[in-house]
Amino acid sequence: MDLEKTQFMKKEIHMTLAHTFPQTSLLEGFVYLHSIHPDIRISNRYHSQDNFLGRPFPHYFNNVLILSTQAAKALLHVQETVSKDGFDLVIYDGYRPQTTVNAFVTWAEDITDQTMKTLYYPRVDKEQVFELGYIAKRSSHTRGSTVDLTLIKKNKPLQPTRKMVRQLNDGFAFTYLDDDTVDMHTHVDLFDKASHHDTDLVPEQALKWRNYLRSAMVSVGFTPYKNEWWHYTLAREPFPDTYFDFPVR
């Protein structure tokens, strides 16, 4: 895509709504998600302690989310689609700096740190997270066109996570982190087969919700990741070979 077209798309998106959050300038071809649509909710888990490290991640300095302009524009269309059915999007992560990914790798290689095992990988050995595809040394997030997301009912507040015990179809009991989003039966970043898109470990209703989200995302050009129901990458991403490292601020 040439520079003139990229600049036009960025201008078009920024004109959709007035910015509601303070922000810094971004690299050409990127946009803040809060500038896209007021109903898209932002819950940056990696800016908080509510994640598998149990602490804020390096290079996440603010509760904002950044995406490539093309991916953000595609999400705008998804929001418009789900809104007709009474839902809003909740975005947990978008662009992710390479410094942050490096911290993931360091964490994964430190088998003495099992602080968050109960909540995020209760039946996966930490040594397996690379092999099983839950952690990668090169993440599509770092290219700027991948999102982790879910759905929430319109006018329903997003809540701090609450712990509740639930069971999978194979009888395994685990701690579910409920934030009042649509119930997909497993929470974001639960490293388990139950988080796979087409698993047989969750109730039929949860699979219906996952398929509803997948259909909406695929319809505008996102590709699902089979191991994580929340993870999507724009198929025609603008920076397919570039891994960025500017901070989220």
Side-chain angles (χ1 to χ4, degrees):
M1 180 174 291
D2 59 45
L3 179 61
E4 182 178 352
K5 187 171 182 181
T6 299
Q7 290 174 329
F8 173 79
M9 290 177 65
K10 187 173 184 180
K11 182 178 179 183
E12 179 185 13
I13 289 179
H14 276 261
M15 290 178 63
T16 304
L17 292 162
H19 299 312
T20 56
F21 297 7
Q23 61 191 47
T24 58
S25 59
L26 292 174
L27 290 180
E28 187 67 38
F30 287 87
V31 66
Y32 285 95
L33 287 185
H34 59 252
S35 70
I36 300 303
H37 196 292
D39 293 335
I40 296 179
R41 319 280 189 93
I42 295 172
S43 180
N44 193 329
R45 292 288 181 86
Y46 298 159
H47 177 61
S48 71
Q49 297 180 350
D50 203 5
N51 55 63
F52 59 86
L53 265 66
R55 58 186 181 272
F57 288 179
H59 264 38
Y60 278 72
F61 296 112
N62 205 351
N63 185 33
V64 294
L65 282 159
I66 298 166
L67 273 180
S68 72
T69 304
Q70 290 92 326
K73 188 173 183 179
L75 271 190
L76 172 61
H77 293 308
V78 178
Q79 172 61 36
E80 291 172 344
T81 295
V82 301
S83 181
K84 295 174 184 177
D85 293 324
F87 299 104
D88 291 327
L89 294 177
V90 176
I91 316 296
Y92 294 118
D93 195 29
Y95 159 72
R96 180 184 303 163
Q98 183 62 43
T99 293
T100 308
V101 175
N102 294 343
F104 285 13
V105 174
T106 299
W107 168 85
E109 292 176 343
D110 180 8
I111 60 173
T112 66
D113 181 358
Q114 302 286 344
T115 306
M116 306 302 288
K117 180 174 177 60
T118 300
L119 296 180
Y120 289 96
Y121 51 107
R123 55 179 178 177
V124 168
D125 290 335
K126 203 175 184 185
E127 298 94 322
Q128 296 180 292
V129 295
F130 293 109
E131 175 188 347
L132 296 176
Y134 297 121
I135 298 290
K137 295 182 179 181
R138 288 286 192 178
S139 170
S140 59
H141 280 277
T142 309
R143 302 194 300 264
S145 296
T146 292
V147 291
D148 294 338
L149 81 171
T150 191
L151 301 162
I152 193 169
K153 284 283 190 180
K154 276 192 173 296
N155 303 316
K156 190 172 188 179
L158 190 64
Q159 299 290 342
T161 55
R162 302 182 299 274
K163 297 177 183 178
M164 55 188 298
V165 177
R166 60 173 31 169
Q167 197 169 53
L168 299 174
N169 287 346
D170 63 359
F172 180 75
F174 70 104
T175 302
Y176 175 66
L177 300 177
D178 180 24
D179 59 0
D180 274 358
T181 53
V182 170
D183 191 352
M184 306 290 187
H185 205 74
T186 66
H187 52 268
V188 168
D189 281 343
L190 178 68
F191 302 160
D192 194 275
K193 290 186 294 184
S195 294
H196 295 191
H197 262 290
D198 298 311
T199 181
D200 59 359
L201 296 176
V202 303
E204 183 178 352
Q205 184 57 58
L207 287 179
K208 287 181 178 178
W209 287 129
R210 294 181 187 193
N211 289 334
Y212 171 82
L213 177 60
R214 179 165 55 181
S215 177
M217 295 294 286
V218 169
S219 72
V220 299
F222 282 98
T223 301
Y225 177 49
K226 65 178 183 178
N227 288 357
E228 299 174 346
W229 61 258
W230 56 85
H231 179 115
Y232 291 85
T233 300
L234 191 67
R236 299 181 66 180
E237 56 183 311
F239 308 110
D241 303 309
T242 305
Y243 294 82
F244 294 93
D245 197 32
F246 60 89
V248 177
R249 64 167 86 243

